[in-house]
Amino acid sequence: MANRIKDSFRLALAQLNPIVGDIDGNLKKARAARETAAARGADLVAFTELYLTGYPIEDLVLKPALQEAAWQACEAFARDTGDGWPAVLVGLPWGDGSFVYNALALLDAGRIAAVRYKNNLPNYGVFDEKRVFATGPMPEPIDFRGVKLGVPVCEDIWSEEVCAGLAKAGSELLIVPNGSPYWMDKQTQRYDVARARIAETGLPLTYVNQIGGQDELVFDGASFALNVDGSVAMQMPAWQEAIGIMEWRREEAGWRCLPGDMAEIEVGEAANYLACVTGLRDYVEKNGFPGAVLGLSGGIDSALCAAMAVDALGASRVHCVMLPYRYTSNESLSDAAKGAETLGVRYDILPIHEAVEGLTKSLAPVFAGTKEDATEENFQSRARGTMLMAMSNKFGPIVLTTGNKSEVSVGYATLYGDMNGGFNPIKDLYKTQVYAVARYRNSARPKGCLGPEGIVIPENILTKAPTAELKADQRDQDTLPPYDVLDDILNCLVEREMQLAGIVARGHAPEVVKKVERMLYLAEYKRRQAAPGVKITAKNFGRDRRYPIVNKFRETL
C-alpha cells in the first residue's frame, strides 16, 4: 500500500495519440507512459477521456465485446499498480447492466480503486454522446491517498454544475481528462472555460487532452495546469505526444502547482497547417495505407495538399501525377513540375487525351444534335479521377482529393471526377485560407514536418488567377464571385447561419448573396458523397452541419 500524501505530490499528464479500437496497442502505450512517469517520480498519471478504446468511439461502444475488452485491459493495467508508484487515472467505456457510461477509473494498489461517470454528455456540433452513453450521476470526489480529487470529464467543465458539486463535496483539486478536438482559436476557449470554473470553485485545475487524428476530427493536445488565480503553471506542447510532470504543493490556501515547462502553442495559420498535416498523417497511418497519390494540376489547392502530404508522410511515400489535356497551359505544366521537384516526390505526366476522346466517341450517338457544355468538360475531370483511382487500386496508396471549402460549399467540383479520393486535407479551409496557409508554409517548416525547408509552393502558383482549365481561357471568377467575397458570404451562411438581409448589410450585392445561397443548397448531394477531411473551422461539412439533401426552402430578400 502506497503512503498517504501529505504536503506534495507529482502528477503526470499523459498526452498521447490512441487509436480507436486498438485496445491492446493503447494499453501498451499507456504502460510505457507509466514507466516514464515512474522514472520521473510521479505519484499519479492521468490519461485522457476514453483513452483505452480511443475517442470518439461512436456506435462501436455499443458492442458488448468491446466493452468487455476495455474492462479486461483496465483490470490488467490495475494489476500493474500493485508495484506501488504511480497510480493511474484512465478513461474507458463502462458497462453497467443495460447502460454504458463514459467513465474514468482510478487504478491503485493493484486494483480498480474507484470509478466515476461523465455527467454532462455533449449533444451538439461534432458530438452526439447522448446517442450511445448513459448520463452518469453527479460525481463525488475520489480519495487518492488522502487527497480529494474532483475528476470532471471534458464536457463536465463546460457548464458550472458538476465542478460546483465537486467543490461542495470537498474536492481539493480538479483533474480533467479530455477528448477535445481542434478548431480555430480553441485553446483560448479552453482557458476561458477553465478559468470560469476556477473562479466559481476556488480550486486549481489540470487539463489533459489527447492528440492525433480520428477520421475528420483532429486533437491538438496542449494540456495545461492553472492555479487558483487563473495563471498558467504549466503548458504542454500542441501537436505532439508528451508526458508532462508537475509538482503540487499543499499551502495554507490549498494546492498550488509549482512553475513547470511552458511550451509555445501555435496559433493562426501555423495551427491550421499542423492540424491538416496531423489529420492526414493519422488517417493514412492508422488505416494502413502505404502512401498517397494525388493529381498535381499546377494550381494552389493541389500544390498545398502535396506539401502537406510530404510533411505528413515523407517524399518517398507521395506520388504526384500531372494529367494534362489540350486546355492545360504550359504555365501549369511548369508550375507543377517545379513544385514536385522542390518537394522531392515521384512525378509522372500521364496525358488524358485518349481517355477523353474515347468517352466523347462512345457517347457521340447519344449526344448527337446537342451542344457541348459542362458535360464534355467534366469528361476531363472524370478521366483524371478514374486514372488516380486505378493507381490506388493497383499499388495501394490513398487518393487525396484537393477541393477547398469554398468549392465544396458551392459544388464547384465534379462528382466522380476531381472529388474522387479517400481523404481531403484542405476540405475545411476556404480558398482565402488556402492562400494564407500556403504562404505560411513557404515562410516556415513547422515542427515534426518531413518536407524541405524554404519555399515549397512556387510563387507563381500563389499569384496567378485560379482556373480549372476545363476549357480555353477559363477562370474561376467566370462562374464564382471573387474569393474574398464568396468566402465572407459562405462564412455567414455556414458558420454563422446569418439571415440574408444581414449578409447584404455587410456590403454584398443581393443577387450575389442569393446566388451563393442557391449554390450552397444545391450542392448538398455532392457533399454527402465527398471524402472526409480535417475539421478546422467552427462548423465543418460532415459531423457539424447536417442539412437535408431534399430541401426546397429558400430565404426571401
Side-chain angles (χ1 to χ4, degrees), residues 77 124 162 165 177 205 219 250 300 365 369 380 412 458 460 474 488 501:
F77 204 10
Y124 59 87
V162 173
L205 183 148
F219 300 84
R250 192 197 301 270
I300 182 64
Q380 300 165 58
Y412 194 65
N460 192 58
Q474 184 182 36
D488 187 66

Side-chain angles (χ1 to χ4, degrees), residues 40-355:
R40 297 173 65 183
D43 297 285
L44 176 65
V45 188
F47 291 86
T48 51
E49 179 179 12
L50 293 176
Y51 171 80
L52 285 177
T53 56
Y55 179 86
I57 196 167
E58 304 185 70
D59 287 7
L60 184 60
V61 77
L62 300 177
K63 284 192 170 294
L66 180 127
Q67 297 169 30
E68 175 66 20
W71 181 82
Q72 289 179 358
C74 186
E75 281 276 312
F77 204 10
R79 288 193 292 272
D80 293 350
T81 65
D83 59 11
W85 278 272
V88 167
L89 280 171
V90 68
L92 73 157
W94 194 273
D96 187 355
S98 59
F99 298 105
V100 184
Y101 296 94
N102 184 332
L104 188 73
L106 173 66
L107 316 181
D108 195 13
R111 63 192 179 90
I112 300 175
V115 177
R116 296 292 183 269
Y117 299 148
K118 186 174 183 178
N119 172 264
N120 190 4
L121 300 176
N123 200 48
Y124 59 87
V126 300
F127 307 107
D128 53 5
E129 289 190 27
K130 289 183 179 180
R131 172 185 171 88
V132 294
F133 290 113
T135 299
M138 194 65 69
E140 293 290 323
I142 291 175
D143 188 335
F144 169 63
R145 302 179 185 174
V147 180
K148 287 190 174 182
L149 301 178
V151 288
V153 178
C154 200
E155 192 73 15
D156 282 340
I157 71 166
W158 286 73
S159 59
E160 63 185 51
E161 294 81 9
V162 173
C163 291
L166 286 166
K168 186 176 181 180
S171 296
E172 302 172 56
L173 168 66
L174 300 176
I175 300 176
V176 189
N178 293 269
S180 177
Y182 171 83
W183 57 78
M184 291 187 293
D185 302 320
K186 185 66 174 290
Q187 188 71 354
T188 299
Q189 296 177 47
R190 294 173 184 143
Y191 281 145
D192 290 345
V193 168
R195 286 177 173 134
R197 302 294 85 80
I198 290 170
E200 292 158 2
T201 63
L203 299 177
L205 183 148
T206 298
Y207 186 104
V208 56
N209 190 30
Q210 72 180 53
I211 71 128
Q214 172 57 30
D215 296 346
E216 65 192 47
L217 298 183
V218 65
F219 300 84
D220 54 326
S223 307
F224 58 86
L226 302 180
N227 278 316
V228 291
D229 61 356
S231 62
V232 181
M234 187 194 75
Q235 175 62 67
M236 293 176 63
W239 309 113
Q240 66 187 64
E241 290 189 312
I243 308 296
I245 304 290
M246 60 190 70
E247 180 96 16
W248 288 89
R249 293 274 180 87
R250 192 197 301 270
E251 299 181 349
E252 186 175 345
W255 288 96
R256 182 173 70 90
C257 183
L258 300 186
D261 295 336
M262 297 295 290
E264 183 178 352
I265 301 300
E266 293 81 5
V267 297
E269 280 75 36
N272 289 342
Y273 189 85
L274 282 168
C276 293
V277 169
T278 300
L280 171 58
R281 177 190 296 126
D282 276 1
Y283 195 86
V284 172
E285 300 288 14
K286 292 179 179 182
N287 281 302
F289 291 103
V293 61
L294 70 155
L296 202 60
S297 69
I300 182 64
D301 297 322
S302 62
L304 179 59
C305 288
M308 289 175 171
V310 171
D311 278 339
L313 307 172
S316 64
R317 298 176 65 191
V318 179
H319 183 188
C320 292
V321 187
M322 162 58 83
L323 299 149
Y325 189 55
R326 66 178 67 166
Y327 303 119
T328 303
S329 66
N330 289 330
E331 182 182 39
S332 293
L333 288 165
S334 174
D335 288 340
K338 185 176 180 180
E341 181 181 9
T342 300
L343 291 170
V345 298
R346 176 182 173 181
Y347 179 64
D348 289 303
I349 300 176
L350 304 177
I352 62 170
H353 177 82
E354 292 185 4

